[in-house]
Amino acid sequence: MLISKNDIEKYLQNIPPIPKYALECLNALKEGNIKKAANDAQKDLVLKKQIEKIVNSAAFSLRKEVKDTLQLFTLLGIENIRAIVYSYLVSLLMPKNWEIFKIDFTDFQKEFLNSYKEFVSLEFGETIYKKYAEIGAIIPASVCVCDSLLGEKKEKLNIILNSAPLEYGTLLKRLTGESLFGIAAKIAEIWDLEKEKCEIIKKSECEICDNPFSALNHFIFFYLTSKPAFFDLNSLIEFNPKCVDYIPKTYERISNDSKRFAKESGISV
């Protein structure tokens, strides 16, 4: 038997609970108690290291490396830290062995988080980015779920894929009725993300492209998985070009960057 909607439900039911100190950190952030949140994060050494690694990356442009947790939390603010904590939770879902998608998931996760921050801020403003920062952290989680579930049926699925011009994203929807973004939305619900944010994630499949924020998520996933390093994941998304109509600033920047790269590389476009 191939993968079914029930298989997805069983997998999601078995997602491990949020680690104690990460949960306490998130609860403190919800209450606006940044000092307590920093203290809780320090008690989870893996979470603390993850925060330091992401925050001191080029995406946040800090002038010098910062390791004091409270200082990091204060510098970045509650919304950014919440996104980083959720990215830590996503990393806990990584399969021990990747069966389908041969990528560096940590790099993809970082690239998605950074691109999300850049393009949401560009398209809608930094205030809007801060309000919805967690979305960019959670969407990559569905990649882990897809590899775990599809990997168990790899041989049978490959027979189907070799006999028909289908991709993993199409096959997933036909067999289960769920999409990449639908799975991400279910994970967001399990992790108690607000209903509005869960809906934005779910609509990012863009079967009907009518939400600018969802359109941007759709485009970011397609844009990143069009790069050689993450091209294996491109089979998970059925790109809807109508999403571009809702994100003119992002599309213009990427187009200009591509033209600039081509010119510097001596490639005619």
Side-chain angles (χ1 to χ4, degrees):
M1 183 177 178
L2 292 175
I3 183 174
S4 67
K5 187 178 183 70
N6 191 46
D7 291 325
I8 293 177
E9 296 298 334
K10 284 182 178 178
Y11 179 96
L12 296 176
Q13 287 170 9
N14 290 319
I15 286 180
I18 298 175
K20 177 183 177 182
Y21 295 120
L23 180 59
E24 291 181 2
C25 176
L26 286 171
N27 287 337
L29 289 170
K30 283 182 182 179
E31 296 167 1
N33 190 337
I34 203 162
K35 184 175 181 180
K36 184 179 185 305
N39 288 336
D40 291 329
Q42 285 190 104
K43 296 173 185 175
D44 186 323
L45 296 180
V46 180
L47 172 58
K48 183 177 184 293
K49 190 171 290 186
Q50 177 97 342
I51 291 170
E52 289 176 3
K53 183 179 179 181
I54 293 175
V55 172
N56 287 299
S57 69
F60 288 93
S61 304
L62 299 183
R63 292 182 180 179
K64 60 181 181 178
E65 186 176 5
V66 179
K67 290 193 174 183
D68 180 79
T69 308
L70 179 57
Q71 188 179 357
L72 286 170
F73 276 40
T74 304
L75 280 169
L76 293 183
I78 288 173
E79 297 87 355
N80 281 322
I81 293 298
R82 281 189 73 190
I84 293 170
V85 175
Y86 277 111
S87 73
Y88 160 67
L89 298 180
V90 170
S91 70
L92 300 180
L93 300 181
M94 285 177 58
K96 290 182 180 179
N97 297 301
W98 288 84
E99 296 291 340
I100 304 291
F101 308 115
K102 305 303 180 184
I103 63 164
D104 186 322
F105 179 73
T106 302
D107 278 356
F108 176 73
Q109 191 181 18
K110 183 176 69 175
E111 285 278 335
F112 197 96
L113 194 65
N114 291 348
S115 295
Y116 180 86
K117 181 178 186 291
E118 176 186 355
F119 296 130
V120 172
S121 298
L122 171 67
E123 202 69 51
F124 308 115
E126 190 172 346
T127 301
I128 297 297
Y129 161 71
K130 288 181 178 179
K131 183 178 178 181
Y132 297 101
E134 307 97 317
I135 289 175
I138 288 178
I139 286 176
S142 55
V143 172
C144 300
V145 179
C146 288
D147 192 272
S148 295
L149 293 173
L150 296 172
E152 292 178 0
K153 316 284 184 177
K154 183 178 179 180
E155 292 183 7
K156 292 181 179 179
L157 289 172
N158 282 341
I159 292 173
I160 295 174
L161 293 170
N162 289 332
S163 63
L166 298 173
E167 295 189 325
Y168 281 118
T170 305
L171 196 57
L172 183 71
K173 282 195 286 188
R174 289 189 183 181
L175 293 173
T176 70
E178 286 290 356
S179 70
L180 169 85
F181 296 101
I183 291 172
K186 287 181 179 293
I187 295 170
E189 289 174 11
I190 291 170
W191 287 341
D192 293 325
L193 214 64
E194 295 92 329
K195 185 177 180 179
E196 180 197 7
K197 295 175 183 177
C198 294
E199 282 298 309
I200 288 172
I201 295 173
K202 186 175 182 179
K203 288 183 177 181
S204 298
E205 179 64 14
C206 272
E207 286 185 321
I208 300 174
C209 215
D210 60 0
N211 182 301
F213 217 103
S214 298
L216 181 58
N217 295 330
H218 185 86
F219 183 80
I220 291 172
F221 194 94
F222 175 75
Y223 167 65
L224 289 181
T225 61
S226 297
K227 294 184 175 183
F230 309 125
F231 193 70
D232 269 9
L233 300 181
N234 197 260
S235 63
L236 281 172
I237 186 170
E238 295 180 54
F239 181 60
N240 186 344
K242 289 184 180 178
C243 69
V244 173
D245 296 338
Y246 292 90
I247 50 169
K249 295 177 184 176
T250 299
Y251 185 69
E252 182 181 9
R253 173 172 292 184
I254 289 176
S255 296
N256 289 339
D257 287 347
S258 297
K259 290 175 182 176
R260 191 180 304 113
F261 174 78
K263 185 176 180 181
E264 293 172 353
S265 304
I267 302 171
S268 59
V269 292

